[in-house]
Amino acid sequence: VEAATEDDSLRRAAAANPQDKFALVLAGTLETFFAERMDQNEDLFARYVGDPDFRKVVTSWATSEVYKRLASAPELPDAPDTP
């Protein structure tokens, strides 16, 4: 959840979408976040990847938590235009 709340693209997605649409964006990145941290908790990663019911619960909880945090965070300024 912490890594997701620090991700600028997710922050922008939360600002621009309702939670149900944001869930689609987050679902695509959750597995990446788990894989990047696999060495910290291999059992959790294996269960997330191998257990569809567990993945659904984790994804639902993470979506709610991340969206709540990002939706209440101040918006990031737009990236400056580059010539």
Side-chain angles (χ1 to χ4, degrees):
V1 170
E2 293 303 318
T5 59
E6 295 172 4
D7 185 280
D8 291 342
S9 64
L10 289 177
R11 184 173 291 155
R12 285 187 176 90
N17 292 287
Q19 187 170 336
D20 61 330
K21 302 294 185 210
F22 174 75
L24 300 173
V25 176
L26 182 62
T29 59
L30 270 181
E31 192 166 329
T32 301
F33 286 138
F34 272 101
E36 289 172 350
R37 289 156 187 77
M38 181 174 65
D39 60 327
Q40 296 171 6
N41 193 332
E42 289 181 36
D43 293 336
L44 181 63
F45 175 77
R47 185 165 182 203
Y48 180 81
V49 172
D51 183 341
D53 292 331
F54 180 73
R55 183 173 45 248
K56 184 176 179 180
V57 169
V58 169
T59 300
S60 177
W61 173 81
T63 297
S64 176
E65 192 64 28
V66 172
Y67 188 80
K68 179 174 56 176
R69 291 182 189 189
L70 292 179
S72 65
E75 250 186 82
L76 291 176
D78 290 333
D81 292 332
T82 55

Coordinates of all heavy atoms in Angstrom, one line a residue:
V1 N 0.8 -1.2 0.0 CA 0.0 0.0 0.0 C 0.9 1.3 0.0 O 0.6 2.2 -0.7 CB -1.0 0.0 1.2 CG1 -1.7 1.3 1.4 CG2 -2.0 -1.1 1.1
E2 N 1.9 1.2 0.8 CA 2.8 2.4 0.8 C 3.4 2.7 -0.5 O 3.5 3.8 -1.0 CB 3.9 2.2 1.9 CG 3.4 2.2 3.3 CD 2.6 3.4 3.7 OE1 3.0 4.5 3.4 OE2 1.5 3.2 4.4
A3 N 3.9 1.7 -1.2 CA 4.5 1.9 -2.5 C 3.5 2.4 -3.5 O 3.8 3.3 -4.3 CB 5.1 0.6 -3.0
A4 N 2.3 1.9 -3.4 CA 1.3 2.4 -4.4 C 0.9 3.8 -4.1 O 0.6 4.6 -5.1 CB 0.0 1.5 -4.2
T5 N 0.9 4.2 -2.8 CA 0.5 5.6 -2.6 C 1.6 6.6 -3.0 O 1.3 7.8 -3.1 CB 0.1 5.8 -1.1 OG1 1.3 5.5 -0.3 CG2 -1.1 5.0 -0.7
E6 N 2.8 6.1 -3.2 CA 3.9 6.9 -3.6 C 4.1 7.0 -5.1 O 4.9 7.7 -5.6 CB 5.2 6.5 -2.9 CG 5.1 6.7 -1.4 CD 6.3 6.0 -0.7 OE1 7.2 5.5 -1.4 OE2 6.3 6.1 0.5
D7 N 3.3 6.2 -5.8 CA 3.4 6.1 -7.3 C 2.7 7.2 -7.9 O 1.4 7.3 -7.8 CB 2.9 4.7 -7.7 CG 3.1 4.5 -9.2 OD1 2.3 5.0 -10.0 OD2 4.1 3.8 -9.5
D8 N 3.4 8.1 -8.7 CA 2.7 9.3 -9.3 C 1.6 8.9 -10.3 O 0.6 9.5 -10.4 CB 3.8 10.1 -10.0 CG 4.7 10.8 -9.0 OD1 4.3 10.9 -7.8 OD2 5.8 11.3 -9.4
S9 N 1.9 7.8 -11.1 CA 0.8 7.4 -12.1 C -0.4 6.9 -11.4 O -1.5 7.2 -11.8 CB 1.4 6.4 -13.0 OG 1.7 5.2 -12.4
L10 N -0.3 6.2 -10.3 CA -1.5 5.8 -9.5 C -2.2 7.0 -8.9 O -3.4 7.1 -8.8 CB -1.1 4.8 -8.5 CG -0.7 3.4 -9.0 CD1 -0.3 2.5 -7.9 CD2 -1.9 2.8 -9.8
R11 N -1.4 7.9 -8.4 CA -2.0 9.2 -7.8 C -2.8 9.9 -8.8 O -3.9 10.3 -8.6 CB -0.9 10.1 -7.3 CG -1.4 11.3 -6.5 CD -0.3 12.1 -5.9 NE 0.2 11.3 -4.8 CZ 1.4 11.4 -4.2 NH1 2.2 12.3 -4.7 NH2 1.8 10.6 -3.2
R12 N -2.3 10.0 -10.0 CA -3.1 10.7 -11.1 C -4.3 9.9 -11.5 O -5.3 10.4 -11.8 CB -2.1 10.9 -12.3 CG -1.2 12.1 -12.1 CD -0.4 12.4 -13.3 NE 0.5 13.6 -13.1 CZ 1.7 13.5 -12.6 NH1 2.3 12.4 -12.3 NH2 2.4 14.6 -12.4
A13 N -4.2 8.6 -11.5 CA -5.3 7.7 -11.9 C -6.4 7.8 -10.8 O -7.6 7.8 -11.1 CB -4.8 6.3 -12.0
A14 N -6.0 7.9 -9.5 CA -7.0 8.1 -8.5 C -7.7 9.4 -8.6 O -8.9 9.5 -8.3 CB -6.3 7.9 -7.1
A15 N -7.0 10.4 -9.0 CA -7.6 11.8 -9.1 C -8.5 11.9 -10.3 O -9.5 12.6 -10.2 CB -6.5 12.8 -9.2
A16 N -8.3 11.1 -11.3 CA -9.0 11.2 -12.5 C -10.2 10.1 -12.7 O -10.9 10.2 -13.6 CB -8.1 11.0 -13.7
N17 N -10.2 9.2 -11.8 CA -11.2 8.1 -11.9 C -12.0 7.8 -10.6 O -11.5 8.0 -9.6 CB -10.4 6.8 -12.3 CG -9.8 6.9 -13.7 OD1 -10.5 6.8 -14.7 ND2 -8.5 7.0 -13.7
P18 N -13.2 7.3 -10.8 CA -13.9 6.8 -9.6 C -13.2 5.5 -9.2 O -12.4 4.9 -9.9 CB -15.3 6.5 -10.2 CG -15.2 6.3 -11.6 CD -14.0 7.2 -12.0
Q19 N -13.5 5.0 -8.0 CA -12.8 3.9 -7.4 C -12.9 2.6 -8.3 O -11.9 1.9 -8.4 CB -13.3 3.6 -6.0 CG -12.5 2.5 -5.3 CD -12.8 2.4 -3.8 OE1 -13.3 3.3 -3.2 NE2 -12.5 1.2 -3.3
D20 N -14.1 2.4 -8.9 CA -14.2 1.1 -9.7 C -13.3 1.1 -10.9 O -12.7 0.1 -11.3 CB -15.6 0.9 -10.0 CG -16.2 1.9 -10.9 OD1 -15.9 3.1 -10.8 OD2 -17.1 1.6 -11.7
K21 N -13.1 2.3 -11.5 CA -12.1 2.4 -12.6 C -10.7 2.4 -12.1 O -9.8 1.8 -12.8 CB -12.4 3.7 -13.4 CG -13.8 3.8 -14.0 CD -14.1 2.8 -15.0 CE -15.5 3.0 -15.6 NZ -16.1 1.9 -16.0
F22 N -10.4 3.0 -11.0 CA -9.1 3.0 -10.4 C -8.7 1.5 -10.1 O -7.5 1.2 -10.2 CB -9.0 3.8 -9.2 CG -7.7 3.8 -8.4 CD1 -6.6 4.4 -8.9 CD2 -7.6 3.0 -7.3 CE1 -5.4 4.3 -8.3 CE2 -6.4 3.0 -6.6 CZ -5.3 3.6 -7.1
A23 N -9.6 0.7 -9.7 CA -9.3 -0.7 -9.3 C -8.7 -1.4 -10.5 O -7.8 -2.2 -10.3 CB -10.6 -1.4 -8.9
L24 N -9.2 -1.1 -11.7 CA -8.6 -1.7 -12.9 C -7.1 -1.4 -13.1 O -6.3 -2.2 -13.5 CB -9.4 -1.4 -14.1 CG -10.9 -1.8 -14.1 CD1 -11.6 -1.2 -15.3 CD2 -11.0 -3.3 -14.1
V25 N -6.8 -0.1 -12.8 CA -5.5 0.4 -13.0 C -4.6 -0.2 -11.9 O -3.5 -0.8 -12.2 CB -5.4 1.9 -12.8 CG1 -4.0 2.4 -12.9 CG2 -6.2 2.6 -13.9
L26 N -5.1 -0.2 -10.7 CA -4.3 -0.8 -9.6 C -4.0 -2.3 -9.7 O -2.9 -2.8 -9.4 CB -4.9 -0.5 -8.2 CG -4.1 -1.0 -7.0 CD1 -2.8 -0.3 -6.9 CD2 -4.9 -0.7 -5.7
A27 N -5.0 -3.0 -10.1 CA -4.9 -4.5 -10.3 C -3.7 -4.8 -11.2 O -3.0 -5.8 -11.0 CB -6.2 -5.1 -10.8
G28 N -3.5 -4.0 -12.2 CA -2.4 -4.2 -13.2 C -1.1 -4.0 -12.6 O -0.1 -4.5 -13.0
T29 N -1.0 -3.2 -11.5 CA 0.3 -2.9 -10.9 C 0.6 -3.7 -9.6 O 1.7 -3.8 -9.2 CB 0.5 -1.4 -10.6 OG1 -0.6 -1.0 -9.7 CG2 0.4 -0.6 -11.9
L30 N -0.5 -4.2 -9.0 CA -0.3 -4.9 -7.7 C 0.7 -6.1 -7.8 O 1.6 -6.3 -7.0 CB -1.6 -5.4 -7.1 CG -2.4 -4.5 -6.2 CD1 -3.6 -5.1 -5.7 CD2 -1.5 -4.0 -5.1
E31 N 0.5 -6.9 -8.9 CA 1.4 -8.1 -9.0 C 2.8 -7.6 -9.2 O 3.8 -8.3 -8.7 CB 1.0 -8.9 -10.2 CG 1.7 -10.3 -10.2 CD 1.0 -11.3 -11.1 OE1 -0.2 -11.3 -11.3 OE2 1.8 -12.1 -11.6
T32 N 3.0 -6.5 -9.9 CA 4.4 -6.0 -10.0 C 5.0 -5.6 -8.6 O 6.1 -5.9 -8.3 CB 4.4 -4.7 -10.9 OG1 3.9 -5.2 -12.2 CG2 5.8 -4.2 -11.1
F33 N 4.1 -4.9 -7.8 CA 4.6 -4.5 -6.5 C 5.0 -5.8 -5.7 O 6.0 -5.8 -5.0 CB 3.5 -3.7 -5.7 CG 3.4 -2.3 -6.2 CD1 2.2 -1.7 -6.4 CD2 4.5 -1.5 -6.5 CE1 2.0 -0.4 -6.9 CE2 4.4 -0.2 -7.0 CZ 3.1 0.3 -7.1
F34 N 4.1 -6.8 -5.7 CA 4.4 -8.1 -5.0 C 5.7 -8.7 -5.5 O 6.5 -9.1 -4.7 CB 3.2 -9.0 -5.1 CG 2.2 -8.9 -4.1 CD1 1.0 -8.2 -4.4 CD2 2.4 -9.4 -2.8 CE1 0.0 -8.1 -3.4 CE2 1.4 -9.2 -1.8 CZ 0.2 -8.6 -2.1
A35 N 5.9 -8.7 -6.8 CA 7.0 -9.4 -7.4 C 8.3 -8.6 -7.0 O 9.3 -9.3 -6.7 CB 6.9 -9.4 -8.9
E36 N 8.2 -7.3 -7.0 CA 9.4 -6.5 -6.6 C 9.8 -6.8 -5.2 O 11.0 -6.6 -4.8 CB 9.1 -5.0 -6.8 CG 9.1 -4.6 -8.3 CD 8.6 -3.2 -8.5 OE1 8.1 -2.5 -7.5 OE2 8.7 -2.7 -9.6
R37 N 8.9 -7.2 -4.3 CA 9.2 -7.4 -2.9 C 9.1 -8.9 -2.6 O 9.1 -9.2 -1.4 CB 8.2 -6.6 -2.1 CG 8.4 -5.1 -2.2 CD 7.2 -4.3 -1.8 NE 7.4 -2.9 -2.1 CZ 7.4 -2.3 -3.3 NH1 7.2 -3.1 -4.4 NH2 7.6 -1.1 -3.4
M38 N 9.2 -9.7 -3.6 CA 9.1 -11.2 -3.3 C 10.1 -11.6 -2.4 O 9.9 -12.5 -1.5 CB 9.2 -11.9 -4.7 CG 9.1 -13.4 -4.5 SD 9.1 -14.3 -6.1 CE 10.7 -14.0 -6.7
D39 N 11.3 -11.1 -2.4 CA 12.4 -11.6 -1.5 C 12.1 -11.3 -0.1 O 12.7 -11.9 0.8 CB 13.8 -11.0 -2.0 CG 13.8 -9.5 -1.9 OD1 12.7 -8.9 -2.2 OD2 14.9 -8.9 -1.7
Q40 N 11.2 -10.3 0.2 CA 10.9 -10.0 1.6 C 9.9 -10.9 2.2 O 9.8 -11.1 3.4 CB 10.4 -8.5 1.6 CG 11.4 -7.5 1.2 CD 10.8 -6.1 1.1 OE1 9.6 -5.9 1.4 NE2 11.6 -5.2 0.6
N41 N 9.0 -11.5 1.3 CA 8.0 -12.4 1.8 C 7.6 -13.4 0.6 O 6.5 -13.1 0.0 CB 6.8 -11.7 2.4 CG 5.9 -12.6 3.2 OD1 5.8 -13.8 2.9 ND2 5.2 -12.0 4.1
E42 N 8.3 -14.4 0.4 CA 8.0 -15.3 -0.7 C 6.7 -16.1 -0.5 O 6.0 -16.3 -1.5 CB 9.2 -16.4 -0.8 CG 10.4 -15.7 -1.3 CD 11.5 -16.8 -1.5 OE1 11.2 -17.9 -1.9 OE2 12.7 -16.4 -1.3
D43 N 6.3 -16.4 0.8 CA 5.1 -17.1 1.0 C 3.9 -16.2 0.6 O 2.9 -16.7 0.0 CB 5.0 -17.5 2.5 CG 6.0 -18.5 2.9 OD1 6.5 -19.3 2.0 OD2 6.3 -18.6 4.1
L44 N 3.9 -15.0 1.0 CA 2.8 -14.1 0.6 C 2.7 -13.9 -0.9 O 1.6 -14.0 -1.5 CB 3.0 -12.7 1.3 CG 1.9 -11.7 1.0 CD1 0.6 -12.1 1.6 CD2 2.3 -10.3 1.6
F45 N 3.9 -13.8 -1.6 CA 3.9 -13.6 -3.0 C 3.3 -14.9 -3.7 O 2.4 -14.8 -4.5 CB 5.3 -13.4 -3.5 CG 5.4 -13.4 -5.0 CD1 4.9 -12.3 -5.8 CD2 5.9 -14.5 -5.7 CE1 5.0 -12.3 -7.2 CE2 5.9 -14.5 -7.1 CZ 5.5 -13.4 -7.8
A46 N 3.7 -16.1 -3.2 CA 3.3 -17.3 -3.8 C 1.7 -17.5 -3.5 O 1.0 -17.9 -4.5 CB 4.0 -18.5 -3.1
R47 N 1.3 -17.1 -2.4 CA -0.2 -17.2 -2.2 C -0.9 -16.2 -3.0 O -2.0 -16.5 -3.6 CB -0.5 -17.0 -0.7 CG -2.0 -17.2 -0.4 CD -2.2 -17.3 1.1 NE -3.7 -17.6 1.3 CZ -4.3 -17.3 2.4 NH1 -3.7 -16.8 3.4 NH2 -5.6 -17.5 2.4
Y48 N -0.4 -15.0 -3.2 CA -1.1 -14.0 -4.0 C -1.2 -14.5 -5.4 O -2.2 -14.3 -6.1 CB -0.3 -12.7 -3.9 CG -1.0 -11.6 -4.8 CD1 -2.1 -10.9 -4.3 CD2 -0.5 -11.3 -6.0 CE1 -2.7 -9.9 -5.1 CE2 -1.1 -10.3 -6.8 CZ -2.2 -9.6 -6.3 OH -2.8 -8.7 -7.1
V49 N -0.1 -15.0 -6.0 CA -0.1 -15.5 -7.3 C -0.9 -16.8 -7.5 O -1.6 -17.0 -8.5 CB 1.4 -15.7 -7.8 CG1 1.4 -16.3 -9.2 CG2 2.1 -14.3 -7.8
G50 N -0.9 -17.7 -6.5 CA -1.4 -19.0 -6.7 C -2.8 -19.2 -6.2 O -3.5 -20.2 -6.5
D51 N -3.4 -18.2 -5.4 CA -4.7 -18.4 -4.8 C -5.6 -17.3 -5.3 O -5.6 -16.2 -4.7 CB -4.5 -18.4 -3.3 CG -5.8 -18.6 -2.5 OD1 -6.9 -18.4 -3.1 OD2 -5.7 -19.0 -1.3
P52 N -6.5 -17.5 -6.3 CA -7.3 -16.5 -6.8 C -8.2 -15.8 -5.8 O -8.5 -14.6 -5.9 CB -8.1 -17.2 -7.9 CG -7.4 -18.5 -8.2 CD -6.6 -18.8 -7.0
D53 N -8.7 -16.6 -4.8 CA -9.6 -16.0 -3.8 C -8.8 -15.1 -2.9 O -9.3 -14.0 -2.6 CB -10.3 -17.1 -2.9 CG -11.3 -17.9 -3.7 OD1 -11.9 -17.4 -4.7 OD2 -11.4 -19.1 -3.4
F54 N -7.6 -15.5 -2.5 CA -6.8 -14.6 -1.7 C -6.4 -13.3 -2.5 O -6.5 -12.2 -2.0 CB -5.5 -15.3 -1.3 CG -4.6 -14.5 -0.5 CD1 -4.9 -14.2 0.9 CD2 -3.4 -14.1 -1.0 CE1 -4.0 -13.5 1.6 CE2 -2.5 -13.3 -0.2 CZ -2.8 -13.0 1.1
R55 N -6.1 -13.5 -3.8 CA -5.7 -12.3 -4.6 C -6.9 -11.4 -4.7 O -6.7 -10.2 -4.7 CB -5.3 -12.8 -6.0 CG -4.9 -11.7 -6.9 CD -4.3 -12.1 -8.3 NE -5.0 -13.2 -8.9 CZ -4.6 -14.4 -9.1 NH1 -3.4 -14.8 -8.7 NH2 -5.3 -15.3 -9.7
K56 N -8.1 -11.9 -4.8 CA -9.3 -11.1 -4.9 C -9.5 -10.2 -3.6 O -9.8 -9.0 -3.7 CB -10.5 -11.9 -5.2 CG -11.8 -11.2 -5.4 CD -12.9 -12.1 -5.8 CE -14.2 -11.3 -6.0 NZ -15.3 -12.2 -6.3
V57 N -9.3 -10.9 -2.5 CA -9.5 -10.2 -1.2 C -8.4 -9.1 -1.1 O -8.7 -8.0 -0.7 CB -9.4 -11.2 0.0 CG1 -9.3 -10.5 1.3 CG2 -10.6 -12.1 -0.1
V58 N -7.2 -9.5 -1.4 CA -6.1 -8.5 -1.2 C -6.3 -7.3 -2.2 O -6.1 -6.2 -1.8 CB -4.7 -9.2 -1.5 CG1 -3.6 -8.2 -1.6 CG2 -4.4 -10.2 -0.4
T59 N -6.6 -7.6 -3.4 CA -6.8 -6.6 -4.4 C -8.0 -5.6 -4.0 O -7.8 -4.4 -4.1 CB -7.1 -7.2 -5.8 OG1 -6.0 -8.0 -6.2 CG2 -7.3 -6.1 -6.9
S60 N -9.0 -6.2 -3.5 CA -10.2 -5.4 -3.1 C -9.8 -4.5 -1.9 O -10.1 -3.3 -1.9 CB -11.3 -6.3 -2.7 OG -12.4 -5.5 -2.2
W61 N -9.1 -5.1 -0.9 CA -8.7 -4.3 0.2 C -7.7 -3.2 -0.2 O -7.8 -2.0 0.2 CB -8.0 -5.2 1.3 CG -7.4 -4.4 2.4 CD1 -8.1 -3.8 3.5 CD2 -6.1 -4.0 2.5 NE1 -7.2 -3.1 4.2 CE2 -5.9 -3.2 3.7 CE3 -4.9 -4.2 1.8 CZ2 -4.7 -2.7 4.1 CZ3 -3.7 -3.7 2.2 CH2 -3.6 -2.9 3.3
A62 N -6.7 -3.6 -1.0 CA -5.6 -2.6 -1.4 C -6.3 -1.5 -2.2 O -5.9 -0.3 -2.1 CB -4.6 -3.3 -2.2
T63 N -7.2 -1.8 -3.1 CA -7.9 -0.8 -3.9 C -8.6 0.2 -3.0 O -8.4 1.4 -3.2 CB -8.9 -1.4 -4.9 OG1 -8.2 -2.3 -5.8 CG2 -9.6 -0.4 -5.7
S64 N -9.3 -0.3 -2.1 CA -10.0 0.6 -1.2 C -9.1 1.5 -0.4 O -9.2 2.7 -0.3 CB -10.9 -0.2 -0.2 OG -11.5 0.6 0.7
E65 N -8.0 0.9 0.2 CA -7.1 1.6 1.0 C -6.3 2.6 0.2 O -6.1 3.8 0.6 CB -6.1 0.6 1.7 CG -5.3 1.2 2.8 CD -6.1 1.8 4.0 OE1 -7.2 1.3 4.2 OE2 -5.6 2.7 4.6
V66 N -5.7 2.2 -0.9 CA -4.9 3.1 -1.7 C -5.8 4.3 -2.3 O -5.4 5.4 -2.3 CB -4.2 2.3 -2.9 CG1 -3.5 3.3 -3.9 CG2 -3.2 1.4 -2.3
Y67 N -6.9 3.9 -2.8 CA -7.8 5.0 -3.4 C -8.2 6.0 -2.3 O -8.1 7.2 -2.5 CB -9.1 4.4 -4.0 CG -9.9 5.3 -4.7 CD1 -9.6 5.7 -6.0 CD2 -11.0 5.9 -4.1 CE1 -10.3 6.6 -6.7 CE2 -11.8 6.9 -4.8 CZ -11.4 7.2 -6.1 OH -12.2 8.1 -6.8
K68 N -8.5 5.5 -1.1 CA -8.9 6.4 0.0 C -7.7 7.4 0.3 O -7.9 8.6 0.4 CB -9.3 5.6 1.2 CG -9.6 6.4 2.4 CD -10.1 5.6 3.6 CE -9.1 4.5 3.9 NZ -9.5 3.7 5.1
R69 N -6.5 6.8 0.4 CA -5.3 7.7 0.7 C -5.0 8.6 -0.4 O -4.7 9.8 -0.2 CB -4.1 6.8 1.0 CG -4.2 6.0 2.3 CD -3.0 5.2 2.5 NE -3.2 4.3 3.6 CZ -2.1 3.6 4.1 NH1 -0.9 3.8 3.6 NH2 -2.4 2.8 5.1
L70 N -5.1 8.2 -1.7 CA -4.7 9.0 -2.8 C -5.8 10.1 -3.1 O -5.5 11.2 -3.5 CB -4.4 8.2 -4.1 CG -3.2 7.3 -4.0 CD1 -3.1 6.5 -5.3 CD2 -2.0 8.2 -3.8
A71 N -7.0 9.7 -2.9 CA -8.1 10.6 -3.2 C -8.1 11.8 -2.2 O -8.5 12.9 -2.6 CB -9.5 9.9 -3.2
S72 N -7.6 11.6 -1.0 CA -7.6 12.6 0.0 C -6.2 13.4 -0.1 O -6.1 14.4 0.6 CB -7.8 12.1 1.3 OG -6.8 11.2 1.7
A73 N -5.3 12.9 -0.9 CA -4.0 13.6 -0.9 C -4.0 14.8 -1.9 O -4.8 14.8 -2.8 CB -2.9 12.6 -1.4
P74 N -3.2 15.8 -1.7 CA -3.2 16.9 -2.6 C -2.7 16.4 -4.0 O -1.9 15.5 -4.1 CB -2.2 17.9 -2.0 CG -1.5 17.2 -0.9 CD -2.3 15.9 -0.6
E75 N -3.3 17.0 -5.0 CA -2.9 16.7 -6.4 C -1.5 17.0 -6.7 O -1.0 18.0 -6.2 CB -3.9 17.4 -7.4 CG -4.8 16.5 -8.1 CD -5.6 17.2 -9.1 OE1 -5.1 17.3 -10.2 OE2 -6.7 17.5 -8.8
L76 N -0.9 16.2 -7.6 CA 0.4 16.6 -8.1 C 0.3 17.6 -9.1 O -0.6 17.6 -9.9 CB 1.1 15.3 -8.7 CG 1.5 14.2 -7.7 CD1 2.1 13.1 -8.5 CD2 2.6 14.7 -6.8
P77 N 1.3 18.5 -9.2 CA 1.2 19.5 -10.4 C 1.5 18.7 -11.7 O 2.2 17.7 -11.6 CB 2.4 20.4 -10.0 CG 3.2 19.7 -9.0 CD 2.4 18.7 -8.3
D78 N 1.0 19.2 -12.7 CA 1.3 18.6 -14.0 C 2.7 18.7 -14.3 O 3.4 19.7 -13.9 CB 0.4 19.3 -15.1 CG -1.0 19.0 -15.0 OD1 -1.4 18.0 -14.5 OD2 -1.8 19.9 -15.5
A79 N 3.2 17.8 -15.1 CA 4.6 17.8 -15.5 C 4.8 19.0 -16.4 O 3.9 19.3 -17.3 CB 5.0 16.5 -16.2
P80 N 5.9 19.7 -16.3 CA 6.2 20.8 -17.2 C 6.3 20.4 -18.7 O 6.8 19.3 -18.9 CB 7.5 21.4 -16.7 CG 8.1 20.4 -15.9 CD 7.0 19.4 -15.4
D81 N 5.9 21.2 -19.6 CA 6.0 20.9 -21.0 C 7.5 21.0 -21.3 O 8.2 21.9 -20.9 CB 5.2 21.9 -21.8 CG 3.7 21.7 -21.6 OD1 3.3 20.6 -21.3 OD2 3.0 22.7 -21.8
T82 N 7.9 20.1 -22.2 CA 9.3 20.2 -22.7 C 9.3 20.5 -24.1 O 8.4 20.0 -24.9 CB 10.0 18.8 -22.5 OG1 9.3 17.8 -23.1 CG2 10.2 18.5 -21.0
P83 N 10.2 21.4 -24.5 CA 10.2 21.8 -25.9 C 10.6 20.7 -26.9 O 11.2 19.8 -26.6 CB 11.2 23.0 -26.0 CG 11.9 23.0 -24.6 CD 11.2 22.1 -23.7

